[in-house]
Amino acid sequence: MSSPSGSRAIPPKKPVEHDFAASLAASFRASSPLAQEVLARDLAECSDEEDDVDGAGAGLEEGDSDCDDETPGPTLYRRPSGIAFGTTRPALSLGPGGLTDEPRLTRAEREQSRDAERSLLRDNHIIPPKHQHPPQQRQGPLASLYKRVFSTKVPRRVMDDEMPPPPQIVIRPSETEPLLGDRVQRVPTHEHLNHQWEAAVRAGQIKTTWQREAKTIAVYSRSLIVTFLLQYSLNVTSIFAVSRLGTRELGAVSLAAMTANITCYAPIQGLVTSLDTLCAQAYGSGHKTLVGLQLQRMTYFLFLLLVPIAVVWLNAEPILASMIEPESAKLAASYLRIIVLGTPGYAAFEGGKRFVQAQGLFHVTTYVLLVAAPLNVLLNWLFVWHFGWGFTGAPVAVAMTQSLLPVLLFLYVWRVDGSQAWGGFRRAALKNWGPMIRLALPGMIMVLAEWFAFEVLTLASGRLGVSFLAAQSVLVTVTATTFQIPFPLSIAGSTRMANLIGANLVDAAKTSARVTIVGGVLVGMFNLTLLASLRYKIPLLFSHDPEVIELVAQTLPVCAIMQLFDGMAAVSHGLLRGVGRQEFGGYANLVTYYLVALPISFGLGFGLDWKLTGLWIGVTVGLCLVSLVEYWFIWQSDWHQAAKDAEHRNASG
C-alpha cells in the first residue's frame, strides 16, 4: 500500500459484517481483512494530520535496513515468537503464528537468514565447507561416535540414495584474479547465495538432520523459558510469601488469583492478541509510527474496560461468600481491592510488549523482568514479613510490581531502542475502534475459555473445604510453573517449522516437528519424575499444615502423569501454529475441556467423592485426548499445501 502523502486517500468502504465463526477463524490469520481494514483506515486518517503525513512518508528512514538491501528478502529466518502470559496456562497461544504476522526483518536479521541458509547449503555439501581441512587419518571409535551424534551434516549416503547431484552455480573469476595457479575455493556472495539456495530448494536438495533441529530449537527456546519463568515468578512469589501465614491465607490467595485471572488478566491478554496482528502489519507496511497508534488505541480501550472490573473487585466479598466460606472470601476480596491499583500497569505492559515485539525487540521483555522479578521478591519479603503487614503485604507488592513494569519498558524504549515506532500521541487513537474490537474479541473468547476450564477447578475445590482450597493452590502453582518449560519449547518448534515451511522445505519441517515432539515428551518425562519423586517435599515449600501436605502428596502422582500429556499437548498446539491451522486447536480445546475434561472431573471429584484426585484425573484425560486428536490432525494435514498457502501469504504480504 502506497503512502498517503502524495494524495488524499479514499476512505475504505463500510466493513462487511461477518458471522461469529468466520470472525473467529479470521482472528487467527495475520492477513485477515479486519487487520487490512484497520491499516487502510489509519493511513487515510493520517493523511488528515500533517505531522502524521511526515511520519508516514518517513516510515523508512534513510539507511533503514528494511529497504537498503537490493538482494531478495530471506525466506528462512523468523524470530521465535511468543510472549510470557504471566499467570497460569492458556493452552493455545493466539499470539504470533510464525507464518504470517512477522514484521519486516532488519539488516541483522537478514544476515542471520543468510547465515542459516549458507549453513544448510554447507551441511548438504552444496557449497564448500567454511574451513578446508587436510585429509585426516582414520578416526577412533570415540571420535566417530561424537561426530555421528553431534555433527549437523547430512550423511553423504543419504544424499547419494535420495537425491541427484546438487545444482551448482558457477562463480566466474574476477578481473583481478590470476588465470593460472592455485585458486582458493570461493564462498558465494549474497547474490550467488540466493541463486544457489533457490536452485537447491527447487531441486529438493535441502535436507536437515535431527542434530541441527535440536540445536536450533534449543537456542530458540532457552531465552523464552527464562522469560516465561521470570514473569510467572511475579505471581508465585506472592503465593510463597502468604503460604506460611496459614492454611486459610493460602487458599484465599489462590481464590483471589483465580478471580483476577478470569475477570481481568485473561480478557486483557485475549484482547491484546489483536496487536500481534495489527502492530506487525503496521510495522511491515513501512509506516512504523502506526505501531504506536495501535498501542494507544488498545491501551485506551483496555483502560475503559478496567472501570467495570474495578467496580466488581471493590464489591467482590458478597459474590465470593456465596461460593465459599466467609472468612476465605473476606481475605480474597481484600486482596482484589488492593491489586486493582496495579491493573492499569498490567494492561499497559501487555500492550507495550506487543509494541516492542512488532519491531523485533523480543529481548526487551526479558531485560525488564530481570529487574522486576528480583525486586518483586524483595517487596514481598519487606511488606509481608519485615514490615509485618501480613496478608495485605502480598497484593501491595503485586500492585507495585505491575505498575513498575510499563515504566521500565518505557525507559528502555525511550533511552535504548524502540522509539522509532512511536509517533507521539494522536487524535486518531480515539477513532477506528470497531475493526480493532472485532479482531480482538475472538482472541479474548478463546483465551478466556481455556483459562476458565482450568481455573474453575479452583472454585470447585473451595466447596470441599479450606484445606482442599489450600492444597489446590499448591497444585495449580506447581503445575503452572512446570508448564513454563514445554510451552516455550512449543513456540520455538512452531517458529522453526514455520521457517522451513515458508521456505518450501517440507521434509525438513517434518524432521523439525519430530524433534519437537521428542523434546516435548522428554520435558514431560522430566517434570513427571520431578513431581513424583518430590511429592512429599514440594508441599513443604508452601505449608506446614499436615492435612494440606497429605492432600497435595496424594494428588501429585496424578499431576505428575498429567505432565507428560501437558508437554505433548503444548507441542501439538505449537505444530498446529507452525502449519497455520491453529484454529483447529482452539476448537479442539474448547470441545475437549468442556465436553470431556470438566464432566469427568466433576463426576469423579463429587459424584464418586474422589475429591482433588478426581478433579485432576479429568484434566489429565482431557489433555491426553486433545493431544492425540491434534497429532492425528497434523499427521493427516497436507504439509505441501501449507507450504503453498505460506507462499501465497508471503506474496500477498
Side-chain angles (χ1 to χ4, degrees):
M1 182 175 295
S2 60
S3 171
S5 57
S7 61
R8 186 178 183 86
I10 300 175
K13 296 180 180 179
K14 184 177 180 180
V16 179
E17 293 295 332
H18 301 281
D19 58 73
F20 175 77
S23 177
L24 188 61
S27 70
F28 292 96
R29 299 193 299 270
S31 57
S32 68
L34 287 177
Q36 296 173 0
E37 178 183 335
V38 171
L39 182 59
R41 286 190 178 185
D42 289 338
L43 292 175
E45 181 69 27
C46 287
S47 66
D48 294 331
E49 302 179 16
E50 183 178 354
D51 56 334
D52 291 339
V53 170
D54 296 336
L60 294 180
E61 301 172 358
E62 183 179 357
D64 193 289
S65 58
D66 286 336
C67 62
D68 60 1
D69 194 342
E70 297 180 357
T71 58
T75 58
L76 186 61
Y77 178 76
R78 294 292 185 275
R79 307 176 189 92
S81 303
I83 57 163
F85 284 88
T87 43
T88 49
R89 69 179 73 225
L92 174 66
S93 168
L94 298 183
L99 278 172
T100 64
D101 59 356
E102 293 290 351
R104 295 187 182 185
L105 303 182
T106 64
R107 178 183 301 167
E109 289 162 344
R110 276 202 288 266
E111 288 299 325
Q112 285 183 281
S113 174
R114 293 193 182 97
D115 290 342
E117 293 171 354
R118 188 179 290 112
S119 180
L120 273 171
L121 290 172
R122 289 194 182 105
D123 280 357
N124 284 271
H125 313 284
I126 296 176
I127 63 174
K130 187 174 183 179
H131 303 289
Q132 297 284 355
H133 298 289
Q136 297 180 352
Q137 297 180 352
R138 183 178 179 85
Q139 296 178 334
L142 293 179
S144 299
L145 178 62
Y146 179 86
K147 184 177 180 180
R148 177 180 294 272
V149 173
F150 293 103
S151 176
T152 60
K153 290 188 176 297
V154 177
R156 288 187 179 274
R157 64 177 181 273
V158 174
M159 296 184 57
D160 296 339
D161 295 340
E162 298 181 1
M163 295 182 295
Q168 294 294 329
I169 298 298
V170 178
I171 306 176
R172 297 181 179 179
S174 63
E175 296 179 357
T176 59
E177 186 175 347
L179 297 177
L180 300 176
D182 295 335
R183 296 181 184 174
V184 178
Q185 200 165 13
R186 295 177 301 279
V187 177
T189 62
H190 290 336
E191 180 181 0
H192 292 113
L193 179 65
N194 288 334
H195 290 313
Q196 182 73 79
W197 174 260
E198 292 170 1
V201 171
R202 285 195 302 268
Q205 300 294 329
I206 303 299
K207 303 293 181 181
T208 189
T209 59
W210 69 265
Q211 293 94 333
R212 167 176 286 279
E213 297 313 305
K215 178 181 178 181
T216 302
I217 292 172
V219 171
Y220 277 12
S221 59
R222 63 188 180 189
S223 60
L224 289 175
I225 292 174
V226 172
T227 304
F228 277 49
L229 289 174
L230 283 174
Q231 187 157 355
Y232 186 66
S233 72
L234 302 181
N235 302 276
V236 175
T237 301
S238 63
I239 296 177
F240 269 109
V242 170
S243 62
R244 298 306 181 92
L245 296 176
T247 301
R248 178 168 280 107
E249 287 80 359
L250 178 57
V253 72
S254 177
L255 178 63
M258 180 272 292
T259 306
N261 291 339
I262 294 299
T263 59
C264 180
Y265 299 148
I268 286 177
Q269 290 187 8
L271 290 170
V272 296
T273 55
S274 64
L275 292 184
D276 293 322
T277 295
L278 296 174
C279 288
Q281 285 209 347
Y283 190 86
S285 71
H287 300 78
K288 294 182 178 180
T289 56
L290 293 184
V291 181
L293 176 62
Q294 301 295 348
L295 172 63
Q296 291 175 54
R297 185 177 289 133
M298 177 58 71
T299 302
Y300 297 155
F301 176 56
L302 293 178
F303 283 174
L304 283 179
L305 290 181
L306 289 179
V307 175
I309 291 174
V311 173
V312 173
W313 284 14
L314 293 176
N315 299 277
E317 184 174 348
I319 301 175
L320 296 176
S322 64
M323 303 177 188
I324 61 172
E325 55 94 19
E327 287 300 319
S328 296
K330 182 178 181 180
L331 286 175
S334 67
Y335 189 100
L336 292 173
R337 283 195 294 268
I338 297 173
I339 63 169
V340 72
L341 299 175
T343 53
Y346 179 87
F349 182 64
E350 287 299 315
K353 285 195 297 188
R354 274 55 175 206
F355 173 78
V356 294
Q357 288 172 355
Q359 304 175 65
L361 305 175
F362 286 86
H363 55 277
V364 178
T365 305
T366 304
Y367 294 159
V368 169
L369 292 172
L370 284 172
V371 176
L375 183 59
N376 180 59
V377 175
L378 176 62
L379 291 177
N380 273 275
W381 176 78
L382 286 175
F383 296 157
V384 176
W385 297 104
H386 186 70
F387 295 158
W389 295 1
F391 185 86
T392 304
V396 172
V398 171
M400 290 185 64
T401 304
Q402 289 179 343
S403 301
L404 180 64
L405 289 174
V407 175
L408 294 175
L409 186 61
F410 166 76
L411 291 176
Y412 185 96
V413 171
W414 177 38
R415 304 300 300 178
V416 182
D417 192 12
S419 59
Q420 61 270 15
W422 177 258
F425 291 96
R426 298 182 177 182
R427 296 188 301 272
L430 301 175
K431 305 176 183 179
N432 196 22
W433 284 25
M436 176 195 71
I437 294 175
R438 284 191 291 146
L439 188 64
L441 285 178
M444 183 193 73
I445 293 172
M446 295 299 293
V447 172
L448 185 62
E450 292 179 32
W451 283 47
F452 186 77
F454 279 93
E455 300 293 354
V456 71
L457 298 181
T458 300
L459 188 60
S461 65
R463 304 189 67 86
L464 297 173
V466 175
S467 298
F468 287 92
L469 182 59
Q472 174 71 7
S473 177
V474 175
L475 295 170
V476 168
T477 303
V478 171
T479 55
T481 302
T482 56
F483 184 72
Q484 308 309 311
I485 303 177
F487 186 55
L489 175 68
S490 74
I491 291 174
S494 67
T495 302
R496 179 61 174 175
M497 279 183 56
N499 296 344
L500 298 171
I501 289 178
N504 201 24
L505 301 176
V506 175
D507 290 337
K510 292 181 178 180
T511 300
S512 183
R514 287 191 287 267
V515 170
T516 307
I517 293 173
V518 172
V521 172
L522 292 178
V523 169
M525 292 298 296
F526 171 79
N527 289 340
L528 186 156
T529 304
L530 184 68
L531 297 191
S533 60
L534 300 177
R535 56 182 296 201
Y536 283 100
K537 303 293 184 182
I538 291 175
L540 292 175
L541 299 174
F542 297 87
S543 176
H544 288 304
D545 186 301
E547 185 178 1
V548 173
I549 294 174
E550 184 61 29
L551 287 173
V552 174
Q554 288 177 359
T555 314
L556 266 180
V558 178
C559 296
I561 296 174
M562 190 196 78
Q563 297 304 304
L564 176 60
F565 302 120
D566 211 6
M568 292 174 58
V571 168
S572 66
H573 299 329
L575 298 185
L576 286 173
R577 292 193 300 270
V579 296
R581 298 301 303 273
Q582 53 267 62
E583 73 277 5
F584 178 84
Y587 298 131
N589 282 331
L590 294 181
V591 171
T592 304
Y593 293 153
Y594 289 96
L595 298 184
V596 179
L598 290 182
I600 292 177
S601 293
F602 289 126
L604 296 179
F606 296 99
L608 298 182
D609 200 29
W610 291 7
K611 297 183 171 58
L612 282 184
T613 302
L615 294 179
W616 283 92
I617 287 177
V619 174
T620 303
V621 172
L623 285 171
C624 175
L625 180 61
V626 75
S627 62
L628 293 178
V629 169
E630 290 181 352
Y631 281 128
W632 171 84
F633 181 82
I634 294 167
W635 181 263
Q636 297 295 325
S637 296
D638 187 346
W639 289 44
H640 292 279
Q641 183 61 43
K644 293 179 181 178
D645 294 340
E647 183 179 357
H648 292 323
R649 284 193 293 265
N650 292 337
S652 62

